[in-house]
Amino acid sequence: MSFERRRSGAVNGKLKSGGTCYILSVKHCLGNKGPIAEFSRWPKIFWRKLKASSHKDLGDRMKQNRINQNVETQPASDVDKGKKRRKTSSAPTSETSNACQVDWGNLHYDVILHIFQYLPLVDRAYASSVCRTWNEVFHMPELWRRFEFELNQPATSYLKSTHPDLIQQIIKKHADHLQYVSFKVDSSTESAEAACDILSQLVNCSIKTLGLISTARPSFMNLSKSRFVSALTVVFVNSKSLSSIKIDDTPVDDPSLKVLVANNSDTLKLLKMSSCPHVSPAGILCVADQCYGLRELALNYYLLSDELLLALSSEKHVHLEHLRIDVVSENPGQTQFHSIKKSSWDALVRHSPKVNIVMYFFLYEEEFDPFFRDETPVTHIYFGRAVSKEMLGRIGMNCPRLIELVVCANGLQPLDDELIRIAERCKNLTAMGLGECEVSCSAFVEFVKMCGGRLTQLSIMEEVLIPDQKYNLEQIHWEVSKYLGRVWFPDMMPTW
Amino acid sequence: METHSIHWFRKGLRLHDNPALREALRGANTIHCVYILDPWFAGSSNVGVNRWRFLLHCLEDLDARLLELNSRLFVIRGQPADVFPRLFKEWNINRLTFEYDSEPYGKERDAAIKKLASEAGVEVIVKISHTLYDLDKIIELNGGQPPLTYKRFQTLISQLDSPEPPVETISEGKLGKCTVLVLDDHNEKYGVPSLEELGFDTEGLDCAVWPGGETEALTRLERHLERKAWVANFERPRMNAFSLLASPTGLSPYLRFGCLSCRLFYFKLTDLYKKIKKTDSPPLSLYGQLLWREFFYTAATNNPCFDKMEGNPICVRIPWDKNPVSLAKWAEGKTGYPWIDAIMTQLRQEGWIHHLARHAVACFLTRGDLWISWEEGMKVFEELLLDADWSVNAGSWMWLSCSSFFQQFFHCYCPVGFGRRTDLNGDYVRRYLPILKGFPAKYIYDPWNAPDSVQVAAKCIIGVHYPKPMVIHAEASRLNIERMKQIYQQLSRYRGLGLLASVPSNQNGNGGTIYSMGDQISENNGIVQSHTGGMTMGKRELEHDTTVGDDVESLGQKIRRHCDGNNEDKQDLNLVSY
């Protein structure tokens, strides 16, 4: 790659105007002001670009880009100016002559690399067609550490997929550079299969972060367990330094977790596996027993055991930062929930005093019995279905570490006493959300008065608040705002 | 010079508070009141038979009222752009008047007609009377952007003068010396068409629950006010089993078609409030129903993509599922959830459902259970709902699906519990789903949980006579809340554990800051705090931390950034990292 060749490239008028424009877009990006135009269509353009890469084509497209930018960021008169400027680009105005003096092709690799890091893939692809240096920078490993594969089918999704050619290029050229990889799949089985296909080709990789994300109905669950597990274990076996894994709603099983532990026990820090029905309490216990660096764990309640909490509290184990527990039942009365001993919770909090324990409940009212009978160190609670008044009473009694409470629905009895008790006893509470519940306006004002300004999040549906002798809805906005020290309104829904 | 006017009716199908029509009459020698419809389009359009029937009622009523004034309504078959040049010539027209239409499609159509008119030497007079305010003024007051929260909207209009009072009703005196040449073959040429003529099969069509027309609208307004006066309570009534049913005081379809002037309603309400409460300053909440409508008109007026997710700058891109089978079950009331199915049946039969019932079915279709795009739901409402206006319909769907306007997404309605709380006895369900008549109240909202003996006694076996529930609500809402959280965390760049804090606030001043997220951001910046769901990045290699500029970032940028997805904003991808 000779200096001359690069220069001769830069003398080309069309290219130059493209170059100027390109720098414009960099400026916008750095300034975090302007959007980069036309992402939605990028894969097509990108590939046409990479394949055809004719200079004229590039120049024209760059112009197009520039017009878009002008329209977006400048008043109309400037657009006109911009057009004129391009027409007369051979006659040097102050701006174009500046651009002439800079040899863009001769910038140092590091500088280009630095700039490229702020650019979306589509712009990097444009830029890579400018000259060899830029093209080489385009392929530098630093720019391929992170990738999100989007796999959607036209029949099931409104969103586009990552272009298959790009996927092939990445597998061929950049697989060993990938470190942070995620797959977003729609609800079709084909998409989940495509994700597994890619996974099983990632043989020479050293992935640190792997996320399998279902954007609609979880489609990994449609795959046969063996198909899924064999693809997943390719990554488990070949990447010896996995640290973060998100595999919620997948058919992962105990043996594959064993493979994970056998290869990555020193590095694993985060494991999210909510709603993985093929994992047993013993399977997760094996992870906790051997991965001493585990700091974040998400799982379903049926996997939670006293042994697991004790394993996470062992001396060798680092402090746990987050524990997320989903408590789900599909048919009322059919799931019997066990309880966790207070001593196990105590051991966990003694070992990891700052641990956040997040519990999401999707239960029928009658299934709540085993929960919160004793003091529980939970910090965030979300009740996704109706929860009884009695249960909320227990929260006030037994959850002193509570930070956030969200109640989607409750029966028809007002929650006045329960709220007051929560305000009294949950001294860390900073966020509260109430959906289909009822609270009298007086009790609510009292609750806010007791909590005061520490309530940074307070989201209450307007229908929740029942006017009484003391306050109507208009007045409650003033009262609550007064005690919070900021303007507050209940959440409203359109009356339409 | 003689003046020959056409008043073009579109919405605003009334003689009271019709400023454009008054302009048509001012000093005119002749006037033609026209309504243009395309019979071919009628049959093939997405609008259902109930809505067409309502419109035809309105036109019949208008024709009858004009006849009382010795005039007639001219219903012209065709498209406005084809029709007007011909009419201008035929009737020797030099003045055209119509009511201002704020919606992007309407504005485009009207601009074309204005051009045609000016080419034909016809003066065009346009008056605002479908909305309380001049929407452009609201937008101007907000710095050129439409307000995106209702609170912000309320703040803006409280800074504006009160709406203009309604103008005087057109009466015989007003028609004055203005004559209309009505030919003998008027009914054949210009009469209001029948549903059959528009290609609808009317066999077995029930009598209209909501009869259209200005006469009916004014009667209802009186009833509405009498009832309010009697109750002497101006707060929003709490929902109960009774409010689910079509009420003879309901006004929304009449406001939609302009059989009732929103300004007349506004001033009558004000007078009544002042009289009863003996105060001079009614609260804004008094006008809730009118202001919500106004809010969505304002949000939509400059946004031709307001009814779409793609290309709509205020709509969050959500990876909705495409699922025609599930959509059809919802639209036809066959979800297996009696509460949802009863509402959809009422909608199909009668053309109106209570606003909380709308929330229930909209939530169920989108973020609550089925995860299907709000656009699909909006189209079904457009077909069935009498008061579905383009702006209000699309805006409400975006609101209810949490696709815009910064909603708390945890407010999901339970398709069992919500019904039970509203109508414990289940009579509403039995009324619209007679097949479930035999179920006791205990099981009416979840009949699949009824023991076999109860199902047999009710003569309705679930899975045979009535469908089993198409989704498991607990499971669907678990998945969907995760999904919404992931999307919102990305939008707000919130990295904490809280669910509530992941809804972005709108800090650029055009929305009013309701949720403060600043403190969470600074606490958690750079540390992985990703437990509750969306995986977020903490330590970033090689990447630029753009959260610094967050507070100056506009809403549009937030949404766009989100839309840009994978390629644009790597540093904010939902990846786990250590």
Side-chain angles (χ1 to χ4, degrees), chain A residues 32-33 35-36 39 42 117-118 120-121 142 145-148 150 154-159 179-182 184 187 208-211 213-218 243-246 249 269-270 272 275 295-298 321-324 326 328-330 332 356 358 360 362 380 382 385 404 406-408 410-412 431-436 438 456-457 459 461-463 465-467 472-474 486 489 491-496, chain B residues 150-151 235-236 238 283 285 288-289 292 296 309-310 317 319-323 355-356 358-359 367 371 373 376 381 385 387 392-393 396-397 399-400 407-408 410-414 417-418 421 449 472-475 477-479 481-483 485-486 490 497-501 513-516 519-520 528-535 537 540-544 546 549 553 557 560 564 566-568 570 573-578:
Chain A
N32 196 23
K33 275 179 194 155
I36 313 288
F39 295 96
W42 75 265
Q117 277 155 10
Y118 297 104
L121 184 55
E142 286 88 339
R145 290 194 178 146
R146 217 174 280 285
F147 200 81
E148 183 173 75
E150 287 180 270
T156 43
S157 174
Y158 296 88
L159 305 186
Q179 293 184 352
Y180 310 94
V181 184
S182 68
K184 278 190 168 172
S187 56
K208 292 181 177 165
T209 291
L210 175 67
I213 299 161
S214 305
T215 58
R217 279 170 296 145
S243 77
S244 302
I245 303 166
K246 178 179 162 74
D249 294 295
K269 290 174 179 162
L270 180 152
K272 293 186 173 192
S275 296
R295 297 178 195 174
E296 291 197 32
L297 181 60
E321 288 171 12
H322 302 313
L323 178 61
R324 147 107 188 223
D326 281 26
V328 186
S329 92
E330 295 182 358
N356 283 300
V358 183
Y360 275 49
F362 298 91
H380 297 70
Y382 173 84
R385 296 190 59 126
E404 179 175 75
V406 177
V407 182
C408 282
N410 167 255
L412 285 170
M432 162 79 101
L434 297 177
E436 294 174 47
E438 292 192 0
T456 52
Q457 304 289 329
S459 170
M461 284 270 263
E462 200 181 25
E463 282 84 12
L465 301 168
I466 313 287
N472 65 25
L473 283 177
E474 205 72 24
R486 61 189 156 91
F489 290 100
D491 291 0
M492 297 176 88
M493 290 290 237
T495 44
W496 160 82
Chain B
Y150 185 60
K151 280 293 157 213
E235 293 197 0
R236 210 157 95 198
R238 293 191 77 76
S285 59
Q289 193 185 356
W292 275 105
F296 288 125
M309 178 169 81
E310 290 296 332
R317 273 173 107 226
W320 303 113
D321 209 3
K322 266 192 207 167
N323 191 333
H355 67 259
L356 289 174
R358 299 172 195 206
H359 300 179
R367 66 197 168 85
W371 199 253
S373 169
E376 302 296 339
F381 272 30
L385 188 66
D387 59 40
V392 184
N393 192 22
S396 305
W397 272 97
W399 186 293
L400 297 174
Q407 286 316 290
Q408 262 304 341
F410 85 86
H411 294 312
C412 268
Y413 295 99
C414 172
F418 188 24
R421 284 186 340 114
N449 284 330
I472 299 163
H473 175 68
E475 179 65 7
S477 54
R478 176 187 74 80
L479 292 167
I481 201 93
E482 256 345 279
R483 251 134 248 176
K485 187 170 56 188
Q486 206 161 297
Q490 195 172 340
L497 278 168
L499 183 74
L500 299 178
T513 309
I514 301 172
Y515 309 103
S516 80
D519 27 350
Q520 276 83 5
V528 175
Q529 295 260 325
S530 58
H531 212 280
T532 28
M535 302 186 295
M537 320 275 302
R540 299 174 190 142
E541 285 175 82
L542 295 165
E543 273 169 341
H544 175 56
T546 44
E553 192 182 39
Q557 281 166 322
R560 260 198 306 273
D564 294 342
N566 189 3
N567 312 295
E568 148 72 335
K570 285 284 181 192
L573 274 189
N574 283 333
L575 276 167
V576 252
S577 80
Y578 258 111

Side-chain angles (χ1 to χ4, degrees), chain B residues 148-189:
Chain B
L148 287 175
T149 66
Y150 185 60
K151 280 293 157 213
R152 177 69 191 161
F153 174 78
Q154 287 183 318
T155 310
L156 291 169
I157 55 169
S158 62
Q159 293 165 27
L160 290 169
D161 297 334
S162 348
E164 281 179 37
V167 300
E168 216 179 306
T169 304
I170 309 293
S171 59
E172 206 156 352
K174 280 281 161 310
L175 226 48
K177 60 183 169 61
C178 206
T179 54
V180 184
L181 292 171
V182 179
L183 303 169
D184 291 341
D185 61 352
H186 181 93
N187 284 344
E188 283 143 55
K189 251 181 121 175

Side-chain angles (χ1 to χ4, degrees), chain B residues 280-491:
Chain B
D280 261 354
S281 53
L284 275 182
S285 59
L286 179 65
Y287 313 107
Q289 193 185 356
L290 288 173
L291 294 184
W292 275 105
R293 179 175 169 272
E294 207 84 357
F295 171 68
F296 288 125
Y297 283 128
T298 312
T301 182
N302 293 329
N303 182 355
C305 291
F306 194 67
D307 61 341
K308 294 177 190 69
M309 178 169 81
E310 290 296 332
N312 181 350
I314 68 158
C315 183
V316 179
R317 273 173 107 226
I318 296 175
W320 303 113
D321 209 3
K322 266 192 207 167
N323 191 333
V325 177
S326 295
L327 174 64
K329 283 185 183 167
W330 174 82
E332 287 158 21
K334 289 179 180 150
T335 64
Y337 283 97
W339 170 238
I340 301 298
D341 293 345
I343 295 171
M344 293 307 288
T345 306
Q346 183 189 20
L347 173 62
R348 193 166 287 274
Q349 284 174 3
E350 301 178 6
W352 177 90
I353 48 178
H354 188 268
H355 67 259
L356 289 174
R358 299 172 195 206
H359 300 179
V361 294
C363 186
F364 184 84
L365 180 74
T366 58
R367 66 197 168 85
D369 292 89
L370 301 184
W371 199 253
I372 289 175
S373 169
W374 60 270
E375 287 178 59
E376 302 296 339
M378 177 193 70
K379 286 177 201 156
V380 171
F381 272 30
E382 192 173 280
E383 178 195 347
L384 302 176
L385 188 66
L386 291 174
D387 59 40
D389 224 346
W390 186 81
S391 311
V392 184
N393 192 22
S396 305
W397 272 97
M398 268 191 275
W399 186 293
L400 297 174
S401 64
C402 288
S403 293
S404 193
F405 310 116
F406 304 105
Q407 286 316 290
Q408 262 304 341
F409 54 84
F410 85 86
H411 294 312
C412 268
Y413 295 99
C414 172
V416 173
F418 188 24
R420 195 171 277 153
R421 284 186 340 114
T422 310
D423 176 18
L424 188 61
N425 200 30
D427 290 335
Y428 172 75
V429 167
R430 292 191 195 89
R431 179 184 175 123
Y432 290 100
L433 303 174
I435 184 89
L436 298 174
K437 240 187 208 153
F439 278 97
K442 184 171 185 225
Y443 295 111
I444 190 85
Y445 290 104
D446 54 348
W448 62 91
N449 284 330
D452 291 348
S453 60
V454 173
Q455 297 188 24
V456 170
K459 297 195 182 69
C460 175
I461 307 301
I462 300 306
V464 179
H465 305 108
Y466 180 77
K468 288 184 178 165
M470 64 184 292
V471 286
I472 299 163
H473 175 68
E475 179 65 7
S477 54
R478 176 187 74 80
L479 292 167
N480 294 345
I481 201 93
E482 256 345 279
R483 251 134 248 176
M484 288 307 287
K485 187 170 56 188
Q486 206 161 297
I487 290 157
Y488 269 74
Q489 281 182 334
Q490 195 172 340
L491 204 59

Side-chain angles (χ1 to χ4, degrees), chain A residues 106-152:
Chain A
N106 204 22
L107 281 175
H108 195 271
Y109 271 77
D110 288 348
V111 177
I112 304 166
L113 180 65
H114 190 80
I115 294 169
F116 273 26
Q117 277 155 10
Y118 297 104
L119 293 179
L121 184 55
V122 62
D123 282 10
R124 296 207 301 266
Y126 287 146
S128 75
S129 304
V130 170
C131 63
R132 269 174 193 263
T133 318
W134 290 21
N135 190 270
E136 276 164 24
V137 176
F138 177 76
H139 287 291
M140 281 171 80
E142 286 88 339
L143 295 169
W144 297 96
R145 290 194 178 146
R146 217 174 280 285
F147 200 81
E148 183 173 75
F149 294 93
E150 287 180 270
L151 302 164
N152 302 306

